[in-house]
């Protein structure tokens, strides 16, 4: 999905430039880029004013977005734009959500047992709904209760998990089990009082020795 977003940034911005949705996307990107320039972020390049013309603005935005994608930045402005590009891909049947083969059965079983399942992803909530609604196993959204994204906070910051526990209304954060494949996210969630399991999947970054977390290789182990 990420290569699709990268390869279609220019096409998407060009075809939707005058829509209210894309105007809002561009506004968010401009704000982020201005902040990046102030902080000396590598790859950030000034975006000319609208008076410079559509092509000049789009050219600069594409340069910045490609740099953000290359750096795998978890920022709302990028994730919102990617979600809108992916929506077009799903609508055109050019994209399909891919999940590990143990996921659909686990979601079905948890749902049948009355366990509420939520998604917390750096991808926008819209992108999450698109992915789980268009998987190779069909529409899995019926097994999910809600979605959280970077508008809640960075996934590597403890306060984000405090926000989630408040939103879910649990009496104690330990009532929430958080499953992740990223060590730093596991630490942040644990510091917020969550129960945490690290899912070992192909392509994962190696875990530190003596990390102290329970690990699994399939959701069927939970």
């Amino acid at each position: 999905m990420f290569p699709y977003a990268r390869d279609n940034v220019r096409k998407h911005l060009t075809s939707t430039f005058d829509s209210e949705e894309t105007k809002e996307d561009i506004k968010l990107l401009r704000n982020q880029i201005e902040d990046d320039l102030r902080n000396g972020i590598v790859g950030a390049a000034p975006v000319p004013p609208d008076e410079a013309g559509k092509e000049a603005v789009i050219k600069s935005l594409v340069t910045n977005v490609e740099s953000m994608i290359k750096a795998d930045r978890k920022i709302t402005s990028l994730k919102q734009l990617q979600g809108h590009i992916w929506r077009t891909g799903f609508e055109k049947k050019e994209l399909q959500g891919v999940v590990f083969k143990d996921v659909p059965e686990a979601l079905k079983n948890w749902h049948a047992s009355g366990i509420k399942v939520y998604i917390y992803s750096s991808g926008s909530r819209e992108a999450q709904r698109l992915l789980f609604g268009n998987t190779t196993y069909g529409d899995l959204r019926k097994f999910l209760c809600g979605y959280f994204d970077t508008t809640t906070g960075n996934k590597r910051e403890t306060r984000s998990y405090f926000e989630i526990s408040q939103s879910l209304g649990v009496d104690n954060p330990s009532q929430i089990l958080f499953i992740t494949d990223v060590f730093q996210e596991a630490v942040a969630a644990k510091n917020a009082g969550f129960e945490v399991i690290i899912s070992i999947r192909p392509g994962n970054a190696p875990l530190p020795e003596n990390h102290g977390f329970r690990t699994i290789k399939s959701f069927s182990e939970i």
Side-chain angles (χ1 to χ4, degrees):
M1 287 176 62
F2 291 102
Y4 182 90
R6 180 197 62 217
D7 295 342
N8 285 275
V9 174
R10 184 182 300 277
K11 181 179 178 181
H12 176 81
L13 291 176
T14 299
S15 63
T16 65
F17 190 78
D18 293 320
S19 70
E20 291 304 315
E21 181 177 83
T22 296
K23 287 179 181 178
E24 180 61 26
D25 288 345
I26 291 174
K27 179 181 177 181
L28 283 177
L29 285 168
R30 281 186 180 277
N31 290 339
Q32 182 63 57
I33 293 164
E34 289 173 3
D35 189 55
D36 290 348
L37 289 168
R38 284 193 295 269
N39 290 297
I41 300 298
V42 176
V47 179
D50 291 339
E51 291 75 18
K54 174 179 174 179
E55 292 304 318
V57 171
I58 289 176
K59 181 179 179 180
S60 177
L61 288 172
V62 169
T63 297
N64 280 280
V65 170
E66 288 178 345
S67 177
M68 292 173 180
I69 292 174
K70 184 177 180 179
D72 192 25
R73 297 185 65 190
K74 314 296 186 183
I75 47 179
T76 300
S77 57
L78 173 63
K79 297 304 178 181
Q80 179 169 297
L81 175 64
Q82 285 178 323
H84 294 154
I85 296 172
W86 288 333
R87 181 181 62 206
T88 300
F90 282 115
E91 289 174 348
K92 292 183 175 180
K93 306 299 182 184
E94 296 173 347
L95 281 177
Q96 200 168 27
V98 177
V99 297
F100 291 104
K101 63 181 181 180
D102 55 287
V103 171
E105 189 67 21
L107 292 179
K108 180 180 178 180
N109 291 339
W110 293 335
H111 181 75
S113 300
I115 297 172
K116 295 181 179 180
V117 179
Y118 297 82
I119 304 298
Y120 181 25
S121 171
S122 57
S124 69
R125 285 173 292 183
E126 179 179 13
Q128 294 173 47
R129 289 192 293 268
L130 287 168
L131 189 153
F132 284 100
N134 297 274
T135 79
T136 51
Y137 296 92
D139 189 346
L140 301 179
R141 291 174 298 180
K142 57 183 174 288
F143 303 128
L144 303 173
C145 294
Y147 310 85
F148 295 93
D149 61 13
T150 54
T151 59
T152 298
N154 189 296
K155 292 184 71 181
R156 300 188 181 196
E157 295 180 0
T158 297
R159 64 180 179 84
S160 303
Y161 299 89
F162 282 123
E163 288 293 330
I164 289 174
S165 64
Q166 290 294 313
S167 295
L168 297 183
V170 296
D171 293 325
N172 192 304
S174 64
Q175 294 174 261
I176 302 172
L177 171 63
F178 179 62
I179 307 168
T180 181
D181 59 359
V182 178
F183 173 70
Q184 293 87 347
E185 295 175 5
V187 172
K190 181 181 179 181
N191 288 340
F194 286 29
E195 294 294 319
V196 179
I197 292 175
I198 294 181
S199 178
I200 306 297
R201 299 293 192 179
N204 276 20
L207 295 173
E209 291 186 18
N210 304 315
H211 55 77
F213 290 101
R214 177 189 170 190
T215 62
I216 59 171
K217 293 185 178 180
S218 168
F219 282 4
S220 63
E221 299 175 46
I222 300 173

